[in-house]
Amino acid sequence: MTSTTSLFAPVEADLLVLTENLKNLVGTRHPILYAAAEHLFSARGKRVRPAIVLLLARATMRPQEITPRHRRLAEITEMIHTASLVHDDVIDESEVRRGVDTVHKLFGNRVAILAGDFLFAQSSWYLASLDNLEVVKLLSQVIMDLAEGEIQQGLNRFDSSLSLEAYLEKSYYKTASLIANSSKAVGVLSEKSAEISDHLYNYGRHIGLAFQIVDDILDFTGSTEALGKPAGSDLKSGNLTAPALFALEEKPYLETLIEREFAQDGDLEQALTLIQDSQGIDRARQLANHHTQQAIENLQVLQPCEEREALIKLADYVLKRLY
């Protein structure tokens, strides 16, 4: 299977610079926050979001070199993503992320929440320094969307009547909005037409939705070791995702188990078995495939180059994580 390391070869040097810059951007004035940030940015993350920004930047700027503003946009994108993960881990009470201890486990909830807030604030400050109002609006929308997605997820816990449309909307807010809007921001900074920038937005939107759907499938099919969290943890917490929503159409008893919040012994195990025995996981795979194909179609506005090829292969990589 293709690794992200080989996929991101065209921007490998850019990503190394980015990792170092992220630590420096946080600064050393607040030792505990700096320690938390250093821990986060040293974690074994794949850097998918800034890699997409950098690949799109190089593809849209050819034959010119990318600008410092493109690089800063990639850094801001990763800062926003990391801030959202810190807050997610507090809400979900997760002790491990990407195989390493979470910030709230190491430093406590108060520091974790402050560290997330600090990263959001820092990203906003650096965003303003890009001096481009359209880009500021695009990335500010992302921060609003992240909060909206978290609120929707909280309100819809154990709601077996949740529609697929509502699930996709929440997935957009929580995952795809950042990739979509930062991709569009690349088009703005590269001074591309509104039409091309919209295609970049749609690439990010569809690849983001596919990523989320695949993550939700892996919650049922992956191992605890591979996931970095217990398998089935989304379902256990009442977060109903594509495989469960599709399975509900076939397995009526699943609704009973969900509505009573798996209160009785064996409820969760029975629910997991019902989902495994349904077409839910296969239908979710088909949905993820649909979004990857839509993502690839939106790249046709770019001239053929190694960066565009890497972005196409990234869509393929998203699906191959399932096998």
Side-chain angles (χ1 to χ4, degrees):
M1 180 173 139
T2 308
S3 69
T4 50
T5 308
S6 59
L7 266 181
F8 299 154
V11 292
E12 185 179 1
D14 298 324
L15 288 169
L16 288 172
V17 172
L18 174 132
T19 301
E20 282 310 304
N21 281 354
L22 283 170
K23 295 176 192 174
N24 295 331
L25 288 176
V26 174
T28 54
R29 283 186 302 131
H30 308 287
I32 293 179
L33 289 179
Y34 180 74
E38 191 169 43
H39 170 73
L40 288 164
F41 296 135
S42 301
R44 299 193 299 260
K46 295 184 173 68
R47 302 276 188 258
V48 171
R49 289 152 188 82
I52 289 173
V53 168
L54 291 163
L55 286 166
L56 287 171
R58 291 203 168 277
T60 52
M61 287 299 288
R62 277 180 170 265
Q64 297 169 270
E65 182 56 44
I66 62 172
T67 70
R69 293 202 298 174
H70 287 108
R71 294 183 185 278
R72 184 50 51 90
L73 174 64
E75 292 158 6
I76 291 166
T77 300
E78 186 68 354
M79 287 177 86
I80 291 172
H81 173 58
T82 305
S84 72
L85 295 185
V86 177
H87 284 174
D88 280 358
D89 287 338
V90 173
I91 292 165
D92 299 340
E93 299 180 349
S94 305
E95 297 198 341
V96 177
R97 158 110 35 199
R98 298 166 177 167
V100 297
D101 289 342
T102 56
V103 173
H104 84 91
K105 184 182 179 186
L106 287 174
F107 301 98
N109 279 357
R110 182 174 294 185
V111 169
I113 292 165
L114 286 172
D117 290 347
F118 184 66
L119 288 174
F120 275 130
Q122 284 283 75
S123 65
S124 299
W125 193 87
Y126 287 115
L127 186 57
S129 71
L130 289 177
D131 204 24
N132 185 301
L133 184 57
E134 188 174 357
V135 172
V136 170
K137 286 179 178 178
L138 288 169
L139 275 292
S140 298
Q141 182 64 51
V142 170
I143 297 173
M144 289 165 56
D145 287 348
L146 286 166
E148 177 69 25
E150 205 60 61
I151 290 165
Q152 282 193 13
Q153 184 166 299
L155 291 175
N156 293 326
R157 288 176 70 243
F158 299 104
D159 180 4
S160 59
S161 67
L162 184 74
S163 67
L164 186 67
E165 290 71 26
Y167 158 74
L168 288 171
E169 181 180 64
K170 182 264 296 180
S171 299
Y172 170 79
Y173 287 143
K174 285 200 67 176
T175 303
S177 173
L178 175 58
I179 305 175
N181 284 294
S182 59
S183 296
K184 184 173 183 176
V186 172
V188 174
L189 292 179
S190 297
E191 298 182 355
K192 295 298 176 185
S193 68
E195 183 187 359
I196 289 175
S197 295
D198 284 344
H199 278 292
L200 301 187
Y201 168 88
N202 282 317
Y203 170 78
R205 177 175 172 272
H206 287 294
I207 204 86
L209 287 173
F211 246 106
Q212 187 58 58
I213 295 161
V214 167
D215 269 356
D216 293 339
I217 294 168
L218 290 171
D219 190 56
F220 293 98
T221 63
S223 66
T224 299
E225 185 181 352
L227 294 171
K229 61 179 182 178
S233 59
D234 279 340
L235 185 66
K236 184 180 179 181
S237 67
N239 178 22
L240 304 187
T241 59
L245 295 175
F246 285 131
L248 274 163
E249 295 175 20
E250 291 175 56
K251 308 284 185 181
Y253 188 58
L254 184 57
E255 183 178 347
T256 303
L257 299 172
I258 292 167
E259 290 294 334
R260 70 180 182 221
E261 301 186 8
F262 313 120
Q264 297 181 19
D265 285 348
D267 274 4
L268 180 63
E269 292 73 17
Q270 194 173 357
L272 289 168
T273 300
L274 287 171
I275 293 165
Q276 294 283 358
D277 289 345
S278 74
Q279 295 297 307
I281 290 169
D282 280 340
R283 289 178 67 190
R285 282 195 184 108
Q286 291 166 23
L287 184 62
N289 181 62
H290 164 76
H291 284 290
T292 56
Q293 295 312 308
Q294 291 291 308
I296 290 167
E297 279 184 30
N298 278 284
L299 289 175
Q300 301 314 305
V301 294
L302 299 177
Q303 292 297 315
C305 59
E306 63 173 342
E307 290 86 4
R308 188 182 83 162
E309 192 59 31
L311 289 160
I312 290 169
K313 285 181 178 172
L314 177 62
D316 191 40
Y317 163 82
V318 172
L319 285 180
K320 284 186 175 170
R321 291 165 67 220
L322 292 171
Y323 301 101

